[in-house]
Amino acid sequence: MNDKTKRFMREQIDALVNGLKDHFGLPVYEDEIAEDEEETLSEYNCFVFETGEFRITNDIRKVTQDIYVYYYSENRDDVDEQTIDIISIVSSIKGMSFVNTVKERLQEKDTDRYVDRVTLIFRRVIPIECQV
């Protein structure tokens, strides 16, 4: 059941990961950066993405899901410019639309090291085969 939908969902995520990797040349992690992977980062310049909850729409044959893309940037002064490129790349994926961003400056514990984190929220519409 829903095989076509599942394939479509995987293709969207693959396009998101490949689009970010190809354009920025940075690692892309799902859900979180593993501790052993984090230790290999000399600087925090990477992406993490995760999927949110499903929500009903006015169309009983479709649901929506938010996708969160976290852009971590250290020692760069072009975060806003990079953010525009991320919006363009992900919004170009069929069924994905930009919602908003949240911008933060994080301090590493007990250091004077700072990392910019931009949370980009996208929403995708997912067709389903049976009623919700």
Side-chain angles (χ1 to χ4, degrees):
M1 178 179 277
N2 289 300
D3 291 334
K4 185 176 178 183
T5 296
K6 293 172 189 173
R7 186 172 47 255
F8 175 66
M9 292 169 65
R10 280 192 302 274
E11 288 170 356
Q12 285 178 314
I13 295 300
D14 289 345
L16 182 146
V17 170
N18 293 331
L20 295 175
K21 278 184 181 178
D22 292 348
H23 183 80
F24 294 98
L26 297 174
V28 180
Y29 304 99
E30 185 172 0
D31 296 327
E32 61 190 32
I33 304 170
E35 196 171 314
D36 62 329
E37 292 169 322
E38 191 170 7
E39 292 171 0
T40 65
L41 293 174
S42 60
E43 286 187 329
Y44 276 93
N45 288 299
C46 64
F47 295 97
V48 176
F49 76 91
E50 64 183 14
T51 56
E53 296 80 19
F54 290 101
R55 292 190 178 91
I56 195 163
T57 66
N58 291 334
D59 184 341
I60 61 171
R61 296 183 183 159
K62 294 179 182 174
V63 295
T64 61
Q65 183 181 41
D66 288 347
I67 307 290
Y68 302 90
V69 176
Y70 304 97
Y71 171 48
Y72 292 90
S73 176
E74 185 175 14
N75 296 324
R76 294 190 61 119
D77 56 4
D78 62 349
V79 174
D80 290 338
E81 291 86 350
Q82 298 288 63
T83 300
I84 291 296
D85 286 345
I86 298 164
I87 292 168
S88 294
I89 290 165
V90 179
S91 294
S92 71
I93 299 168
K94 182 179 179 183
M96 301 274 277
S97 60
F98 172 70
V99 177
N100 70 297
T101 64
V102 178
K103 197 171 168 183
E104 303 167 279
R105 188 154 172 82
L106 308 174
Q107 182 176 8
E108 188 174 321
K109 185 178 178 181
D110 300 325
T111 71
D112 58 354
R113 183 177 175 188
Y114 288 88
V115 176
D116 292 306
R117 177 174 69 185
V118 180
T119 303
L120 297 99
I121 304 169
F122 297 89
R123 186 161 293 141
R124 66 179 175 176
V125 177
I126 303 167
I128 55 175
E129 292 178 11
C130 60
Q131 284 189 351
V132 175

